[in-house]
Every structure is written in structure tokens, then in C-alpha cells.
Coordinates of all heavy atoms in Angstrom, one line a residue:
M1 N 6.9 -14.6 -8.7 CA 6.4 -13.7 -7.8 C 7.7 -13.2 -7.0 O 8.6 -13.9 -6.7 CB 5.4 -14.4 -6.8 CG 5.0 -13.5 -5.7 SD 3.9 -14.2 -4.5 CE 2.8 -15.2 -5.4
G2 N 7.7 -11.9 -6.6 CA 8.8 -11.4 -5.9 C 8.7 -11.6 -4.4 O 8.0 -12.4 -4.0
Q3 N 9.5 -10.8 -3.7 CA 9.6 -11.0 -2.3 C 8.5 -10.1 -1.6 O 8.0 -9.3 -2.2 CB 11.0 -10.6 -1.8 CG 12.0 -11.4 -2.5 CD 13.3 -11.4 -1.7 OE1 13.4 -10.8 -0.6 NE2 14.3 -12.0 -2.2
R4 N 8.2 -10.5 -0.3 CA 7.3 -9.7 0.4 C 7.9 -8.4 0.9 O 9.0 -8.4 1.5 CB 6.7 -10.6 1.7 CG 5.5 -9.8 2.3 CD 4.8 -10.6 3.3 NE 4.1 -11.7 2.7 CZ 2.8 -11.6 2.3 NH1 2.2 -10.5 2.5 NH2 2.2 -12.5 1.8
I5 N 7.2 -7.3 0.7 CA 7.7 -6.0 1.1 C 7.4 -5.8 2.6 O 6.3 -6.1 3.1 CB 7.0 -4.9 0.4 CG1 7.3 -5.0 -1.2 CG2 7.3 -3.5 0.9 CD1 6.6 -4.2 -2.0
E6 N 8.4 -5.3 3.3 CA 8.3 -5.0 4.7 C 8.2 -3.4 5.0 O 8.9 -2.7 4.2 CB 9.5 -5.5 5.5 CG 9.6 -7.0 5.5 CD 8.5 -7.7 6.2 OE1 7.9 -7.2 7.2 OE2 8.2 -8.8 5.8
M7 N 7.3 -3.0 5.8 CA 7.1 -1.6 6.0 C 7.2 -1.2 7.5 O 6.7 -2.1 8.3 CB 5.8 -1.2 5.4 CG 5.6 -1.3 4.0 SD 4.1 -1.0 3.4 CE 3.8 -2.3 2.3
T8 N 7.8 -0.1 7.8 CA 7.7 0.4 9.2 C 7.0 1.8 9.3 O 6.9 2.3 10.4 CB 9.2 0.5 9.8 OG1 9.9 1.4 8.9 CG2 9.9 -0.9 9.8
W9 N 6.7 2.3 8.2 CA 6.0 3.7 8.1 C 4.7 3.7 8.8 O 4.0 2.5 8.8 CB 5.9 4.1 6.6 CG 5.1 5.3 6.4 CD1 5.6 6.6 6.4 CD2 3.7 5.4 6.1 NE1 4.6 7.4 6.1 CE2 3.4 6.8 6.0 CE3 2.7 4.5 6.0 CZ2 2.1 7.2 5.7 CZ3 1.3 5.0 5.8 CH2 1.1 6.3 5.6
Q10 N 4.2 4.7 9.3 CA 2.8 4.9 9.8 C 2.3 6.3 9.4 O 3.1 7.3 9.4 CB 2.9 4.8 11.4 CG 3.1 3.4 11.9 CD 2.6 3.3 13.4 OE1 2.7 4.2 14.1 NE2 2.3 2.1 13.7
P11 N 1.0 6.4 9.2 CA 0.5 7.6 8.9 C 0.6 8.6 10.0 O 0.6 8.3 11.1 CB -1.0 7.4 8.6 CG -1.3 6.0 9.0 CD 0.0 5.3 9.2
D12 N 0.6 10.0 9.7 CA 0.6 11.0 10.6 C -0.8 11.1 11.3 O -1.7 11.6 10.6 CB 1.1 12.3 10.0 CG 1.1 13.5 11.0 OD1 0.8 13.3 12.2 OD2 1.6 14.6 10.5
Q13 N -0.8 10.8 12.5 CA -2.2 10.8 13.2 C -2.7 12.2 13.4 O -3.9 12.4 13.6 CB -2.1 10.1 14.6 CG -1.7 8.6 14.5 CD -2.6 7.8 13.8 OE1 -3.8 8.0 13.8 NE2 -2.2 6.7 13.1
Q14 N -1.9 13.2 13.4 CA -2.2 14.6 13.6 C -2.5 15.3 12.3 O -3.0 16.5 12.4 CB -1.1 15.3 14.4 CG -0.7 14.7 15.7 CD -1.8 14.5 16.7 OE1 -2.6 15.4 16.8 NE2 -1.9 13.3 17.3
S15 N -2.2 14.7 11.2 CA -2.4 15.4 9.9 C -3.9 15.6 9.6 O -4.7 14.7 9.9 CB -1.7 14.6 8.8 OG -2.0 15.1 7.6
A16 N -4.2 16.6 8.8 CA -5.5 16.9 8.4 C -5.8 16.0 7.1 O -7.0 15.8 6.8 CB -5.7 18.4 8.0
T17 N -4.8 15.5 6.5 CA -5.0 14.6 5.4 C -5.5 13.2 5.8 O -5.0 12.7 6.7 CB -3.6 14.4 4.7 OG1 -3.2 15.7 4.3 CG2 -3.8 13.6 3.4
P18 N -6.6 12.8 5.3 CA -7.1 11.5 5.7 C -6.1 10.3 5.5 O -5.3 10.4 4.7 CB -8.3 11.2 4.6 CG -8.7 12.6 4.2 CD -7.4 13.4 4.2
K19 N -6.2 9.4 6.5 CA -5.2 8.4 6.5 C -5.0 7.5 5.2 O -4.0 7.2 4.8 CB -5.4 7.5 7.7 CG -5.1 8.2 9.1 CD -5.4 7.3 10.2 CE -5.4 8.1 11.5 NZ -6.6 8.9 11.8
Y20 N -6.3 7.3 4.6 CA -6.1 6.5 3.4 C -5.4 7.2 2.3 O -4.7 6.6 1.5 CB -7.6 6.1 2.9 CG -8.4 7.2 2.2 CD1 -8.3 7.3 0.8 CD2 -9.1 8.1 2.9 CE1 -8.9 8.3 0.1 CE2 -9.8 9.1 2.2 CZ -9.7 9.2 0.8 OH -10.4 10.1 0.2
Q21 N -5.5 8.5 2.3 CA -4.7 9.4 1.3 C -3.3 9.3 1.6 O -2.4 9.4 0.7 CB -5.3 10.7 1.2 CG -6.7 10.9 0.5 CD -7.1 12.3 0.4 OE1 -6.7 13.2 1.1 NE2 -8.1 12.4 -0.4
Q22 N -2.9 9.3 2.9 CA -1.6 9.2 3.3 C -1.0 7.9 2.9 O 0.2 7.9 2.5 CB -1.4 9.4 4.9 CG -1.7 10.8 5.4 CD -1.6 10.8 6.8 OE1 -0.4 10.6 7.4 NE2 -2.6 11.3 7.6
I23 N -1.7 6.9 3.0 CA -1.3 5.5 2.6 C -1.1 5.5 1.2 O 0.0 5.0 0.7 CB -2.3 4.5 3.1 CG1 -2.3 4.4 4.6 CG2 -1.9 3.1 2.4 CD1 -3.4 3.5 5.1
I24 N -2.0 6.0 0.4 CA -1.8 6.1 -1.2 C -0.5 6.9 -1.4 O 0.3 6.4 -2.3 CB -3.1 6.8 -1.8 CG1 -4.2 5.9 -1.7 CG2 -2.7 7.1 -3.3 CD1 -5.5 6.5 -2.1
S25 N -0.3 8.1 -0.9 CA 0.8 8.9 -1.1 C 2.2 8.1 -0.8 O 3.2 8.2 -1.5 CB 0.8 10.2 -0.3 OG -0.2 11.0 -0.8
Y26 N 2.1 7.4 0.3 CA 3.3 6.6 0.8 C 3.6 5.6 -0.3 O 4.8 5.4 -0.7 CB 3.0 6.0 2.1 CG 4.0 5.0 2.5 CD1 5.4 5.4 2.9 CD2 3.8 3.6 2.6 CE1 6.3 4.5 3.2 CE2 4.8 2.7 3.0 CZ 6.0 3.2 3.3 OH 7.0 2.2 3.7
F27 N 2.6 4.8 -0.7 CA 2.8 3.7 -1.7 C 3.4 4.4 -3.0 O 4.3 3.8 -3.5 CB 1.5 3.0 -2.0 CG 1.2 1.9 -1.0 CD1 1.3 2.1 0.3 CD2 0.9 0.7 -1.4 CE1 1.0 1.2 1.3 CE2 0.7 -0.4 -0.5 CZ 0.8 0.0 0.8
L28 N 2.7 5.4 -3.5 CA 3.2 6.1 -4.8 C 4.6 6.5 -4.7 O 5.4 6.3 -5.6 CB 2.3 7.2 -5.2 CG 0.9 6.8 -5.6 CD1 0.0 8.0 -5.8 CD2 0.9 5.8 -6.8
T29 N 5.0 7.1 -3.5 CA 6.3 7.6 -3.3 C 7.3 6.5 -3.3 O 8.4 6.6 -4.0 CB 6.5 8.4 -1.9 OG1 5.6 9.5 -2.0 CG2 7.8 8.9 -1.7
R30 N 7.0 5.4 -2.6 CA 8.0 4.3 -2.6 C 8.1 3.6 -4.0 O 9.2 3.1 -4.4 CB 7.5 3.2 -1.6 CG 7.5 3.7 -0.2 CD 8.8 3.7 0.6 NE 9.9 4.4 0.0 CZ 10.2 5.7 0.3 NH1 9.5 6.4 1.0 NH2 11.3 6.2 -0.3
I31 N 6.9 3.5 -4.8 CA 7.0 2.9 -6.1 C 7.7 3.7 -7.0 O 8.7 3.3 -7.7 CB 5.6 2.6 -6.6 CG1 4.9 1.5 -5.7 CG2 5.6 2.2 -8.0 CD1 3.4 1.4 -5.9
Q32 N 7.5 5.1 -7.1 CA 8.2 6.0 -8.0 C 9.6 6.0 -7.7 O 10.5 6.3 -8.6 CB 7.5 7.4 -7.9 CG 6.1 7.4 -8.5 CD 5.4 8.7 -8.3 OE1 5.7 9.5 -7.3 NE2 4.5 9.0 -9.1
A33 N 10.0 5.9 -6.4 CA 11.4 5.9 -6.0 C 12.2 4.6 -6.4 O 13.3 4.5 -6.3 CB 11.6 6.2 -4.5
G34 N 11.4 3.6 -6.8 CA 12.0 2.3 -7.2 C 12.4 1.5 -6.0 O 13.1 0.5 -6.1
D35 N 11.8 1.9 -4.8 CA 12.1 1.1 -3.6 C 11.5 -0.3 -3.6 O 12.0 -1.2 -2.8 CB 11.7 1.9 -2.3 CG 12.5 3.2 -2.1 OD1 13.6 3.3 -2.7 OD2 11.9 4.1 -1.5
W36 N 10.4 -0.4 -4.2 CA 9.7 -1.7 -4.3 C 9.7 -2.2 -5.7 O 9.0 -1.7 -6.6 CB 8.3 -1.5 -3.8 CG 8.1 -1.1 -2.4 CD1 9.1 -1.1 -1.5 CD2 6.9 -0.5 -1.8 NE1 8.5 -0.6 -0.3 CE2 7.2 -0.2 -0.5 CE3 5.6 -0.2 -2.3 CZ2 6.3 0.4 0.4 CZ3 4.8 0.3 -1.4 CH2 5.1 0.7 -0.2
P37 N 10.5 -3.3 -6.0 CA 10.6 -3.8 -7.3 C 9.2 -4.4 -7.8 O 8.4 -4.9 -7.0 CB 11.6 -4.9 -7.2 CG 12.4 -4.6 -6.0 CD 11.4 -3.9 -5.0
I38 N 9.1 -4.3 -9.2 CA 7.9 -4.9 -9.8 C 7.7 -6.4 -9.4 O 8.7 -7.0 -9.5 CB 8.0 -4.7 -11.3 CG1 8.0 -3.2 -11.7 CG2 6.8 -5.4 -12.0 CD1 6.9 -2.3 -11.1
G39 N 6.6 -6.8 -9.0 CA 6.3 -8.2 -8.7 C 6.4 -8.5 -7.3 O 6.1 -9.5 -6.8
D40 N 7.0 -7.5 -6.5 CA 7.1 -7.8 -5.0 C 5.7 -7.8 -4.4 O 4.8 -7.1 -4.9 CB 8.0 -6.8 -4.3 CG 9.4 -7.1 -4.3 OD1 9.8 -8.1 -5.1 OD2 10.2 -6.4 -3.7
Q41 N 5.5 -8.6 -3.4 CA 4.1 -8.8 -2.8 C 4.1 -7.9 -1.5 O 5.0 -7.9 -0.6 CB 3.9 -10.2 -2.5 CG 2.5 -10.5 -2.0 CD 2.2 -11.9 -1.8 OE1 3.2 -12.7 -1.5 NE2 1.0 -12.3 -1.9
L42 N 2.9 -7.2 -1.3 CA 2.6 -6.4 -0.3 C 2.1 -7.3 0.9 O 1.5 -8.4 0.6 CB 1.6 -5.3 -0.5 CG 2.0 -4.3 -1.6 CD1 0.8 -3.3 -1.9 CD2 3.2 -3.5 -1.0
P43 N 2.2 -7.0 2.1 CA 1.5 -7.6 3.2 C 0.0 -7.6 3.0 O -0.5 -6.8 2.2 CB 1.9 -6.9 4.5 CG 3.2 -6.2 4.1 CD 3.0 -5.9 2.6
T44 N -0.7 -8.5 3.6 CA -2.2 -8.5 3.6 C -2.7 -7.2 4.1 O -2.0 -6.5 4.9 CB -2.8 -9.7 4.3 OG1 -2.6 -9.5 5.7 CG2 -2.3 -11.0 3.7
Q45 N -4.0 -6.9 3.8 CA -4.6 -5.7 4.3 C -4.7 -5.7 5.8 O -4.4 -4.7 6.5 CB -6.1 -5.6 3.8 CG -6.1 -5.1 2.3 CD -7.4 -4.9 1.9 OE1 -8.4 -4.7 2.6 NE2 -7.6 -4.8 0.5
R46 N -4.9 -6.8 6.4 CA -4.9 -7.0 7.9 C -3.5 -6.7 8.5 O -3.4 -6.0 9.5 CB -5.3 -8.4 8.3 CG -5.4 -8.6 9.8 CD -6.1 -9.9 10.2 NE -7.5 -9.8 9.6 CZ -8.4 -10.8 9.7 NH1 -8.0 -11.9 10.1 NH2 -9.5 -10.6 9.3
Q47 N -2.5 -7.2 7.8 CA -1.2 -6.9 8.3 C -0.8 -5.5 8.2 O -0.2 -4.9 9.1 CB -0.1 -7.8 7.6 CG -0.3 -9.3 7.9 CD 0.6 -10.1 6.9 OE1 0.7 -9.8 5.7 NE2 1.0 -11.3 7.4
L48 N -1.2 -4.9 7.1 CA -0.9 -3.5 6.8 C -1.6 -2.6 7.9 O -1.1 -1.6 8.4 CB -1.3 -3.0 5.4 CG -0.4 -3.5 4.3 CD1 -1.1 -3.2 2.9 CD2 0.9 -2.9 4.4
A49 N -2.9 -3.0 8.1 CA -3.7 -2.2 9.1 C -2.9 -2.2 10.5 O -2.8 -1.2 11.2 CB -5.0 -2.7 9.3
Q50 N -2.5 -3.3 10.8 CA -1.8 -3.6 12.1 C -0.4 -2.7 12.1 O -0.2 -2.0 13.0 CB -1.4 -5.0 12.4 CG -2.7 -5.8 12.8 CD -2.3 -7.2 13.0 OE1 -1.4 -7.8 12.5 NE2 -3.2 -7.9 13.7
Q51 N 0.3 -2.8 11.0 CA 1.5 -2.1 10.9 C 1.4 -0.6 10.9 O 2.2 0.2 11.5 CB 2.3 -2.4 9.6 CG 2.8 -3.8 9.7 CD 3.5 -4.3 8.4 OE1 3.7 -3.5 7.4 NE2 3.8 -5.6 8.3
F52 N 0.3 -0.1 10.2 CA 0.1 1.3 10.1 C -0.8 1.9 11.3 O -0.9 3.1 11.4 CB -0.9 1.6 8.8 CG -0.1 1.3 7.6 CD1 -0.8 1.2 6.3 CD2 1.3 1.3 7.5 CE1 -0.1 0.9 5.2 CE2 2.0 1.0 6.3 CZ 1.3 0.9 5.1
G53 N -1.3 1.0 12.1 CA -2.1 1.4 13.3 C -3.4 2.1 12.9 O -3.9 3.0 13.5
V54 N -4.0 1.5 11.8 CA -5.3 2.0 11.4 C -6.3 0.9 11.2 O -5.9 -0.2 11.2 CB -5.2 2.8 10.0 CG1 -4.3 4.0 10.1 CG2 -4.7 1.8 8.9
N55 N -7.5 1.2 11.0 CA -8.6 0.2 10.8 C -8.4 -0.4 9.4 O -7.9 0.2 8.5 CB -10.0 0.9 10.8 CG -11.1 -0.2 10.9 OD1 -11.3 -0.8 9.9 ND2 -11.8 -0.2 12.0
R56 N -8.7 -1.7 9.3 CA -8.5 -2.4 8.0 C -9.3 -1.7 6.9 O -8.9 -1.7 5.8 CB -8.9 -3.9 8.1 CG -8.5 -4.7 6.8 CD -8.7 -6.1 7.0 NE -10.0 -6.6 6.6 CZ -10.6 -6.5 5.4 NH1 -10.0 -6.0 4.4 NH2 -11.8 -7.0 5.2
S57 N -10.5 -1.1 7.3 CA -11.3 -0.4 6.2 C -10.5 0.7 5.5 O -10.7 1.0 4.4 CB -12.6 0.0 6.7 OG -12.5 1.0 7.7
T58 N -9.6 1.3 6.3 CA -8.8 2.5 5.9 C -7.8 2.0 4.9 O -7.7 2.6 3.8 CB -8.1 3.2 7.0 OG1 -9.1 3.6 8.0 CG2 -7.2 4.3 6.6
V59 N -7.2 0.8 5.2 CA -6.2 0.2 4.2 C -7.1 -0.2 2.9 O -6.6 0.0 1.8 CB -5.5 -1.0 4.8 CG1 -4.7 -1.8 3.8 CG2 -4.7 -0.4 6.0
S60 N -8.2 -0.8 3.2 CA -9.0 -1.3 2.0 C -9.4 -0.2 1.1 O -9.3 -0.3 -0.1 CB -10.3 -2.0 2.6 OG -11.1 -2.5 1.5
Q61 N -9.7 1.0 1.7 CA -10.1 2.2 0.8 C -8.9 2.6 0.0 O -9.0 2.8 -1.2 CB -10.5 3.3 1.8 CG -11.1 4.4 1.0 CD -11.7 5.5 2.0 OE1 -11.5 5.5 3.2 NE2 -12.3 6.5 1.4
A62 N -7.7 2.6 0.6 CA -6.5 3.0 -0.1 C -6.2 2.0 -1.2 O -5.8 2.3 -2.4 CB -5.3 3.1 0.8
M63 N -6.3 0.7 -0.9 CA -6.0 -0.4 -1.9 C -6.9 -0.4 -3.0 O -6.6 -0.6 -4.2 CB -6.1 -1.8 -1.2 CG -4.9 -2.0 -0.2 SD -3.4 -1.9 -0.9 CE -2.4 -1.1 0.4
T64 N -8.2 -0.1 -2.8 CA -9.3 -0.1 -3.8 C -8.9 1.0 -4.9 O -9.0 0.8 -6.0 CB -10.6 0.2 -3.2 OG1 -11.0 -0.9 -2.4 CG2 -11.7 0.4 -4.3
I65 N -8.4 2.2 -4.3 CA -8.1 3.3 -5.3 C -6.8 2.9 -6.1 O -6.7 3.1 -7.2 CB -7.8 4.5 -4.5 CG1 -9.3 5.1 -3.9 CG2 -7.2 5.7 -5.3 CD1 -9.2 6.1 -2.9
L66 N -5.8 2.4 -5.4 CA -4.6 1.9 -6.0 C -4.8 0.8 -7.0 O -4.2 0.8 -8.1 CB -3.6 1.5 -5.0 CG -3.0 2.6 -4.1 CD1 -2.2 2.1 -2.9 CD2 -2.1 3.5 -4.9
L67 N -5.8 -0.1 -6.8 CA -6.1 -1.1 -7.8 C -6.8 -0.5 -8.9 O -6.5 -0.8 -10.1 CB -7.0 -2.2 -7.2 CG -6.3 -3.2 -6.2 CD1 -7.4 -3.9 -5.4 CD2 -5.6 -4.1 -7.1
A68 N -7.8 0.4 -8.7 CA -8.5 1.1 -9.8 C -7.6 1.9 -10.7 O -7.8 2.0 -11.9 CB -9.6 1.9 -9.1
D69 N -6.5 2.5 -10.1 CA -5.6 3.3 -10.8 C -4.5 2.4 -11.6 O -3.6 3.0 -12.2 CB -4.9 4.3 -9.9 CG -5.9 5.4 -9.5 OD1 -7.0 5.5 -10.1 OD2 -5.5 6.2 -8.6
G70 N -4.5 1.1 -11.4 CA -3.5 0.2 -12.0 C -2.2 0.3 -11.3 O -1.2 -0.3 -11.8
V71 N -2.1 0.8 -10.1 CA -0.8 0.9 -9.4 C -0.5 -0.5 -8.8 O 0.7 -0.9 -8.7 CB -0.9 1.9 -8.3 CG1 0.4 2.0 -7.5 CG2 -1.1 3.4 -8.9
L72 N -1.6 -1.2 -8.4 CA -1.5 -2.6 -7.8 C -2.3 -3.5 -8.6 O -3.2 -3.1 -9.2 CB -2.0 -2.6 -6.3 CG -1.3 -1.7 -5.3 CD1 -2.0 -1.8 -3.9 CD2 0.2 -2.0 -5.2
T73 N -1.9 -4.8 -8.5 CA -2.7 -5.9 -9.1 C -3.2 -6.8 -7.9 O -2.5 -6.9 -6.9 CB -1.9 -6.7 -10.1 OG1 -0.9 -7.2 -9.6 CG2 -1.6 -5.8 -11.3
L74 N -4.1 -7.5 -8.2 CA -4.6 -8.5 -7.2 C -4.4 -9.9 -7.7 O -5.1 -10.3 -8.6 CB -6.1 -8.3 -6.9 CG -6.8 -9.1 -5.8 CD1 -6.1 -8.8 -4.5 CD2 -8.3 -8.8 -5.6
P75 N -3.4 -10.6 -7.1 CA -3.1 -11.9 -7.6 C -4.1 -12.9 -7.0 O -4.9 -12.6 -6.1 CB -1.7 -12.2 -7.0 CG -1.6 -11.3 -5.8 CD -2.5 -10.1 -6.1
M76 N -4.0 -14.2 -7.4 CA -4.9 -15.2 -6.9 C -4.6 -15.4 -5.4 O -5.5 -15.8 -4.6 CB -4.7 -16.5 -7.6 CG -5.0 -16.4 -9.1 SD -6.7 -15.8 -9.4 CE -7.5 -17.4 -9.2
A77 N -3.4 -15.3 -4.9 CA -3.1 -15.5 -3.5 C -3.3 -14.2 -2.7 O -3.6 -13.1 -3.3 CB -1.6 -15.9 -3.4
A78 N -3.1 -14.3 -1.4 CA -3.4 -13.1 -0.5 C -2.3 -12.1 -0.8 O -1.1 -12.5 -1.1 CB -3.4 -13.6 0.9
G79 N -2.6 -10.9 -0.6 CA -1.7 -9.8 -0.8 C -1.6 -9.3 -2.1 O -1.9 -9.9 -3.1
H80 N -1.5 -8.0 -2.2 CA -1.4 -7.3 -3.5 C 0.0 -7.3 -4.1 O 1.0 -7.4 -3.3 CB -1.8 -5.8 -3.4 CG -3.3 -5.7 -3.0 ND1 -3.8 -5.9 -1.8 CD2 -4.4 -5.4 -3.8 CE1 -5.1 -5.7 -1.7 NE2 -5.5 -5.4 -3.0
E81 N 0.2 -7.1 -5.4 CA 1.5 -7.1 -6.0 C 1.6 -5.8 -6.7 O 0.7 -5.2 -7.3 CB 1.7 -8.3 -6.9 CG 1.8 -9.6 -6.3 CD 2.0 -10.7 -7.3 OE1 1.9 -10.6 -8.5 OE2 2.3 -11.8 -6.8
L82 N 2.9 -5.5 -7.0 CA 3.2 -4.3 -8.0 C 3.1 -5.0 -9.3 O 3.7 -6.0 -9.5 CB 4.6 -3.8 -7.6 CG 4.7 -3.2 -6.2 CD1 6.1 -2.7 -6.0 CD2 3.8 -2.1 -6.0
P83 N 2.4 -4.3 -10.3 CA 2.2 -5.0 -11.6 C 3.5 -4.9 -12.4 O 4.4 -4.1 -12.0 CB 1.1 -4.1 -12.2 CG 1.2 -2.8 -11.5 CD 1.7 -3.1 -10.2
A84 N 3.5 -5.6 -13.5 CA 4.7 -5.6 -14.3 C 4.9 -4.3 -15.0 O 6.1 -3.9 -15.2 CB 4.5 -6.7 -15.5
T85 N 3.9 -3.5 -15.2 CA 4.0 -2.2 -15.8 C 3.2 -1.2 -14.9 O 2.1 -1.6 -14.5 CB 3.6 -2.1 -17.3 OG1 2.2 -2.5 -17.3 CG2 4.4 -3.0 -18.1
V86 N 3.6 -0.1 -14.7 CA 2.9 1.0 -13.9 C 2.8 2.2 -14.9 O 3.8 2.7 -15.4 CB 3.7 1.3 -12.7 CG1 2.9 2.4 -11.9 CG2 3.9 0.2 -11.7
G87 N 1.5 2.5 -15.2 CA 1.2 3.7 -16.0 C 1.7 5.0 -15.4 O 2.4 5.0 -14.4
Q88 N 1.2 6.0 -15.9 CA 1.4 7.4 -15.3 C 0.9 7.4 -13.9 O -0.3 7.2 -13.7 CB 0.8 8.4 -16.1 CG 1.4 8.5 -17.5 CD 2.7 9.2 -17.6 OE1 3.1 9.8 -16.6 NE2 3.4 9.0 -18.7
L89 N 1.7 7.6 -12.9 CA 1.3 7.7 -11.5 C 1.0 9.1 -11.1 O 1.5 10.0 -11.4 CB 2.4 7.2 -10.6 CG 2.7 5.7 -10.8 CD1 3.9 5.3 -9.8 CD2 1.6 4.8 -10.6

């Protein structure tokens, strides 16, 4: 297992783009840029919600989409991980 990823980003509260979509875009941008190595662990949904200043259900909605798209995996322990392989993003 990799290291835990730290984030200071927050969604744009004034944007017309829904916050869960902003979160998805942020994650995809960081992953595609190689900023987050494969296997690194994300903070829990509760921690992300606090860091992003959003409701946990907003983070959950984004994580559900990222999981369904294969961008994230759900390990046995708390927190999502970047999978060993990432398909077409």
C-alpha cells in the first residue's frame, strides 16, 4: 500500500458545475498528471468532505462514479486507493 494523499484543494462554491463533478475533475486531473502514484491511499470520505468543505454525500457521489469508472478501487481498509492500472480516463 502506498502513502496517504494530502489535499488542500476545494471546489469553487460559485461555479455552476456541481461540486461532485468538480471533485471528479480534480481527481482525474491529479491522476492524469501523475501527481498521485498508483497504490497511494486517499483520505476517508469524511476527511475529504471536511477538507473540501462539502457534505459527505457529495464526496460519496463522486467516489461512486470514480469507482464505477475504475479510477479508484475500494480496499478492505478505510479509504480508496488508486488501482494498479487505470484504463482510459
Side-chain angles (χ1 to χ4, degrees):
M1 180 184 315
Q3 302 202 2
R4 185 167 294 269
I5 295 171
E6 297 294 327
M7 297 176 219
T8 57
W9 174 88
Q10 288 196 333
D12 181 354
Q13 302 293 331
Q14 307 302 317
S15 175
T17 303
K19 290 179 189 76
Y20 80 92
Q21 289 181 341
Q22 292 182 54
I23 293 169
I24 291 169
S25 293
Y26 171 68
F27 276 51
L28 292 175
T29 299
R30 299 277 58 92
I31 292 167
Q32 290 172 335
D35 294 338
W36 298 343
I38 300 303
D40 277 9
Q41 187 177 29
L42 298 173
T44 64
Q45 288 185 16
R46 182 171 295 174
Q47 291 168 332
L48 288 171
Q50 289 174 341
Q51 290 175 7
F52 294 161
V54 299
N55 190 294
R56 191 174 84 67
S57 65
T58 302
V59 172
S60 180
Q61 186 175 10
M63 294 297 143
T64 298
I65 293 168
L66 291 167
L67 282 165
D69 289 348
V71 176
L72 301 178
T73 61
L74 186 58
M76 299 302 280
H80 293 77
E81 290 183 350
L82 301 177
T85 60
V86 178
Q88 295 287 342
L89 297 179

